[in-house]
Amino acid sequence: MAKEESAGPPEVTTKPWNDPKVRSIFFQVVLLILVVLAGMYIFGNTADNLERQGIATGFSFFGTTAGFGIITHLIEYNEASSYGRAFAVGLLNTLLVAFCGIIAATILGVVIGISRLSKNWMVSRMAMVYIETFRNIPLLLQIFFWYFAVLRALPQPKNSVNFLDSIFINSRGIYMPSAIYEDGFSLVLWALGIAVVAVVVMTRWAHKRQDQTGQQFHTIYYSIALLIGLPLLAFTVTGFPLSWEIPALKGFNFAGGTVIIPEFVALWLSLSIYTASFIAEIVRAGIQAVSHGQTEAAHALGIKAGPTLQLVILPQALRVIIPPLSSQFLNLTKNSSLATAIAYPELVSVFTGTVLNQTGQAVEIISVTMAVYLSISLGISAMMNWYNAKMALVER
Amino acid sequence: MKTITSTVMLASLFAVSANTSAATLDEVVGKGHVQCGVSQGLPGFSNFDDKGNWSGVDVDICRAIAAAIFNDSEAVKYTPLSSKERFTALQSGEIDVLSRNTTWTATRDTALGLNFAGVNYYDGQGFMVRKDLGVNSALELDGAAICTQTGTTTELNVADYFRSNDMAYTVVAYEKSDEVVAAYDSGRCDVYTTDQSGLYAQRIKLKDVSAHKVLPEVISKEPLGPVVRQGDDQWFNLVKWSLYCMINAEEMGITSQNIKSKMNGKDPAVKRLLGEEGAFGENLGVSPTWCGNIVAQVGNYGESFARHLSVDPLNISRGVNELWSKGGIQYAPPIR
Ligand SMILES: N[C@@H](CCC(=O)N[C@@H](CS)C(=O)NCC(=O)O)C(=O)O
């Protein structure tokens, strides 16, 4: 053995500082140390300066009483609540508008992106006009436009637009009956849950059957029947355990029920419409990236236009669409902070606006806010990456 | 966009906080002007005309400081700030002094690293409503929607007031005052609330001024005054005494018109104020004629008030802002 080794070519002994691997590790460690040192310096320096300037520091303010009101909150909140709770209210409002915005923008964007490719000249021109208009007007202007356009058009509470004496629309918002759940309503929810599971199982089965036998099974009708029928049945059996609190005009305003404030509507509309114009272009590009031969091949096999889009084009287009789509979702979420201009109480408005001003702790509050946006963005990215990876597997 | 501003804000806090305790006066003398934080447009207090000239009683404080230092009341640069930006701008050293209808409160004085250099306008929070609402008292406002601005004492006072009177309300808080006015004007709210002075000032921006009225209740104390950073007593003194100079001058009857005739007179108090006796300018780090320069170029407190507030369209009366000797509470320690 030893002989064989010595018989080989003479071993090249590299000095550690000439070894690229060692070198790269060395430089990475140096960089890390520098970054940590710089971080520590900045941190220490800031703490010193704040102390010297007599500015309060630390995070104990999260527990102190906020003392201000917030117009709309998804969780229980009042003036006696803490700044921490005000922070949570703002965060949830951000997530709410981002979530609703992402859904609306995606639906609208896909529809317009596909219309953009329509063979119907009128439809495709209209889609183009939409895209070019909304993509090129600054978002803040669009927010103001929708807000004040909506506000000016709405009547005062006394002259509210009235739908069936239960939904009222005025400049204070859209007032709707709120549901009051009584005993037995949980059964309805259970029924809905069972229906959802049944639909999933049925769809799987239908796919499998189609793969094996080629026979199609129209799950859609059965799904609708299940999803509506089962809960309805439960609802009837339990004796309609649901009542409604109807909003009523009381003094200046409506009281009772739930209200969607105009600030939310304006922000949601403008974010969705604006982002949809970008998504439409992404969808168009994605579809066009799938070579036309694919469509022709599908047609040659006798597959109709609808299923061609759904089964041949979209799955391939999605792989091109998803990465830029994620960044639109991120943009939409971050753009929601423009709401501070129109009084929708999201994170930036409540936390870096009011709370920062009442406590004066800019460094802490801005840091927390940045961390929150970073986490939301990373969360959305992670979700989209997961979906992307799942889509990529379909590649054959 | 917001994230960018926030990052810049944070970065400037980190960066600039390193040298903010350096003598502000030396810095100001070095750069040749006072950097003064004002509002984004509040008629009578700090407002700009179409030529970009700033004017108002808050602006006069900035001009007085410049007159004291440079004998030139025009050596001022203005930084318009929203309510929520103002304290960060001062803390980070972006401005030398904040003179922007800012209420002196315990938190701001003790936890924000700031010092209030006196009170140039005693105010209180009020409510404005549409006349056709038929409301005559703030106590009839149960259930009302109220428009106001974020980052103000107003936001807190209104919560206190409605809570202590057991009334329901919704508060709609905007970042910029122009948006508050626009929203109130387009019917988003029943009530517009801010400092009474602010109500009178903002009212002239409404479409139909005569359709609105200010309710009689004043629900808070809002002493408004110039603010500086904590930890630089020389600068603090200079800002404080620039204001006191104007008040003392009014009390002694010295105006920008008659100041020449008052020079070389016999009254020792006047002599001290005009720098003919004593070392007050030296102690402040400026020229002996500092106060004379202020009065000659900016005028005394009463002149400033009359020029900006007691005129059309504001017509705000002196009220509590009258001198103590005339039944008000404006009172400056003596120059001696
Ligand atoms: N005095 C109060 C409120 C001051 C305030 O910001 N008032 C508003 C409404 S009158 C204002 O001046 N806005 C003008 C602007 O934001 O430029 C405080 O210090 O918090």
Side-chain angles (χ1 to χ4, degrees):
Chain A
M1 284 290 257
K3 240 189 176 170
E4 248 174 297
E5 239 175 62
S6 62
E11 192 151 326
V12 200
T13 50
T14 37
K15 297 271 182 310
W17 52 87
N18 282 333
D19 184 345
K21 230 189 210 150
V22 176
R23 259 213 263 191
S24 103
I25 290 179
F26 173 75
F27 283 119
Q28 291 185 38
V29 169
V30 168
L31 184 67
L32 190 69
I33 292 177
L34 284 180
V35 168
V36 169
L37 281 181
M40 272 162 58
Y41 173 74
I42 292 177
F43 187 83
N45 192 35
T46 309
D48 276 0
N49 284 323
L50 290 176
E51 161 103 36
R52 192 152 36 80
Q53 283 184 253
I55 300 175
T57 48
F59 290 93
S60 54
F61 70 87
F62 269 94
T64 5
T65 308
F68 59 90
I70 301 181
I71 182 169
T72 177
H73 35 86
L74 294 174
I75 50 173
E76 190 55 40
Y77 175 90
N78 61 41
E79 292 80 1
S81 306
S82 65
Y83 284 128
R85 211 167 176 82
F87 165 77
V89 168
L91 177 57
L92 287 173
N93 282 340
T94 293
L95 292 177
L96 177 72
V97 76
F99 180 76
C100 297
I102 284 175
I103 290 181
T106 310
I107 295 175
L108 198 60
V110 170
V111 168
I112 290 171
I114 291 176
S115 316
R116 181 76 184 81
L117 295 171
S118 166
K119 292 210 184 66
N120 184 325
W121 187 85
M122 199 59 202
V123 170
S124 93
R125 267 316 111 119
M126 261 157 62
M128 189 188 81
V129 169
Y130 175 98
I131 292 169
E132 294 308 328
T133 313
F134 291 110
R135 206 167 56 151
N136 290 313
I137 299 177
L139 178 57
L140 187 59
L141 280 184
Q142 296 194 35
I143 294 179
F144 278 133
F145 171 78
W146 287 113
Y147 186 50
F148 285 107
V150 167
L151 264 195
R152 295 240 157 80
L154 292 173
Q156 288 299 299
K158 289 197 178 66
N159 313 316
S160 299
V161 184
N162 176 339
F163 292 103
L164 306 167
D165 273 333
S166 48
I167 298 178
F168 303 90
I169 301 179
N170 59 48
S171 60
R172 307 284 183 275
I174 305 169
Y175 288 81
M176 294 176 302
S178 58
I180 298 170
Y181 307 106
E182 286 151 19
D183 290 346
F185 192 77
S186 56
L187 213 66
V188 180
L189 295 179
W190 276 107
L192 185 67
I194 293 170
V196 169
V197 172
V199 166
V200 171
V201 170
M202 183 175 68
T203 317
R204 290 226 175 130
W205 169 81
H207 271 292
K208 221 169 169 182
R209 194 177 77 139
Q210 191 180 351
D211 283 350
Q212 283 166 357
T213 67
Q215 278 174 309
Q216 286 196 345
F217 183 78
H218 288 286
T219 46
I220 183 86
Y221 305 115
Y222 295 96
S223 305
I224 293 176
L226 269 176
L227 286 176
I228 296 179
L230 221 49
L232 203 65
L233 187 71
F235 195 47
T236 323
V237 169
T238 49
F240 306 105
L242 183 70
S243 59
W244 298 94
E245 186 188 71
I246 312 268
L249 190 61
K250 183 176 153 255
F252 291 100
N253 224 324
F254 281 84
T258 40
V259 55
I260 302 176
I261 55 171
E263 289 74 25
F264 176 84
V265 178
L267 183 67
W268 174 68
L269 269 181
S270 39
L271 284 177
S272 311
I273 291 176
Y274 176 75
T275 314
S277 66
F278 291 91
I279 293 182
E281 282 294 84
I282 292 171
V283 169
R284 179 183 65 87
I287 293 179
Q288 283 182 334
V290 180
S291 87
H292 194 58
Q294 300 269 344
T295 320
E296 284 168 356
H299 285 276
L301 289 174
I303 303 177
K304 284 194 229 111
T308 303
L309 188 68
Q310 199 197 336
L311 299 171
V312 180
I313 311 295
L314 275 185
Q316 300 187 71
L318 270 182
R319 292 208 292 272
V320 183
I321 291 174
I322 291 170
L325 190 64
S326 339
S327 67
Q328 288 308 322
F329 290 175
L330 297 184
N331 281 349
L332 188 146
T333 310
K334 287 182 277 187
N335 283 339
S336 71
S337 64
L338 289 171
T340 126
I342 57 161
Y344 176 69
E346 45 69 66
L347 185 65
V348 168
S349 159
V350 172
F351 198 56
T352 73
T354 307
V355 176
L356 195 163
N357 235 273
Q358 308 299 359
T359 63
Q361 295 190 237
V363 174
E364 288 86 348
I365 287 177
I366 302 286
S367 310
V368 167
T369 310
M370 293 202 304
V372 166
Y373 274 97
L374 187 65
S375 317
I376 299 178
S377 295
L378 289 178
I380 294 178
S381 294
M383 241 142 54
M384 294 305 281
N385 284 345
W386 168 80
Y387 188 59
N388 196 25
K390 212 179 118 176
M391 279 295 143
L393 280 184
V394 182
E395 196 166 13
R396 275 178 258 236
Chain B
M1 200 181 88
K2 273 287 126 64
T3 350
I4 297 179
T5 353
S6 312
T7 321
V8 172
M9 243 160 78
L10 184 73
S12 56
L13 256 186
F14 280 136
V16 188
S17 58
N19 58 10
T20 40
S21 63
T24 311
L25 180 57
D26 295 344
E27 251 174 55
V28 167
V29 170
K31 65 185 170 189
H33 66 264
V34 178
Q35 193 74 41
C36 193
V38 291
S39 80
Q40 292 170 325
L42 186 63
F45 288 82
S46 43
N47 203 18
F48 55 94
D49 61 22
D50 18 309
K51 287 182 220 84
N53 299 319
W54 285 89
S55 67
V57 289
D58 285 344
V59 165
D60 278 353
I61 299 287
C62 310
R63 298 178 58 227
I65 300 166
I69 303 171
F70 301 110
N71 188 16
D72 176 9
S73 65
E74 300 307 306
V76 187
K77 288 194 178 157
Y78 298 95
T79 307
L81 297 165
S82 75
S83 318
K84 85 173 218 200
E85 292 159 352
R86 56 188 157 171
F87 301 121
T88 318
L90 184 60
Q91 288 168 335
S92 65
E94 197 181 320
I95 54 175
D96 302 314
V97 54
L98 175 71
S99 184
R100 182 207 175 282
N101 54 317
T102 297
T103 306
W104 185 350
T105 69
T107 316
R108 292 172 179 179
D109 204 356
T110 58
L112 269 61
L114 306 176
N115 272 338
F116 281 80
V119 176
N120 71 332
Y121 191 96
Y122 288 97
D123 209 340
Q125 185 175 334
F127 297 106
M128 181 158 63
V129 293
R130 251 171 229 88
K131 280 185 185 151
D132 59 21
L133 216 52
V135 169
N136 292 314
S137 153
L139 293 167
E140 297 165 27
L141 291 177
D142 191 9
I146 302 176
C147 281
T148 188
Q149 202 170 350
T150 27
T152 54
T153 46
T154 319
E155 229 183 333
L156 300 180
N157 295 333
V158 76
D160 284 358
Y161 184 75
F162 278 77
R163 254 208 301 174
S164 58
N165 286 301
D166 252 333
M167 298 192 294
Y169 74 103
T170 45
V171 65
V172 196
Y174 299 82
E175 185 183 353
K176 301 244 153 85
S177 64
D178 283 347
E179 286 142 20
V180 191
V181 177
Y184 169 72
D185 217 7
S186 42
R188 174 65 182 94
C189 297
D190 306 298
V191 185
Y192 173 26
T193 183
T194 183
D195 302 342
Q196 283 224 322
S197 63
L199 289 181
Y200 286 108
Q202 303 287 25
R203 184 159 76 156
I204 61 182
K205 296 184 186 164
L206 294 170
K207 266 180 286 186
D208 179 7
V209 179
S210 59
H212 305 266
K213 70 172 177 190
V214 175
L215 297 179
E217 284 85 355
V218 175
I219 65 162
S220 69
K221 294 190 285 188
E222 308 285 333
L224 312 178
V227 199
V228 295
R229 278 182 295 279
Q230 212 168 286
D232 184 348
D233 287 352
Q234 182 191 34
W235 183 247
F236 179 42
N237 286 342
L238 182 65
V239 173
K240 185 162 55 181
W241 282 94
S242 297
L243 169 62
Y244 289 158
C245 158
M246 293 173 72
I247 300 174
N248 276 319
E250 181 184 8
E251 200 178 324
M252 294 178 200
I254 309 174
T255 67
S256 56
Q257 304 303 314
N258 69 13
I259 183 164
K260 286 232 165 61
S261 66
K262 296 274 180 181
M263 281 174 184
N264 303 315
K266 274 188 290 197
D267 186 344
V270 174
K271 278 179 152 338
R272 283 194 297 272
L273 186 131
L274 295 180
E276 292 161 352
E277 268 177 21
F280 304 102
E282 195 186 320
N283 296 342
L284 284 171
V286 291
S287 84
T289 56
W290 64 282
C291 186
N293 299 344
I294 293 178
V295 178
Q297 297 179 15
V298 183
N300 67 33
Y301 179 80
E303 285 181 279
S304 170
F305 198 106
R307 187 164 63 228
H308 301 296
L309 299 176
S310 308
V311 287
D312 267 343
L314 290 175
N315 296 314
I316 300 178
S317 65
R318 281 292 286 269
V320 288
N321 289 294
E322 189 56 89
L323 291 179
W324 65 285
S325 50
K326 294 185 183 157
I329 54 173
Q330 274 297 359
Y331 184 106
I335 298 185
R336 77 168 312 127

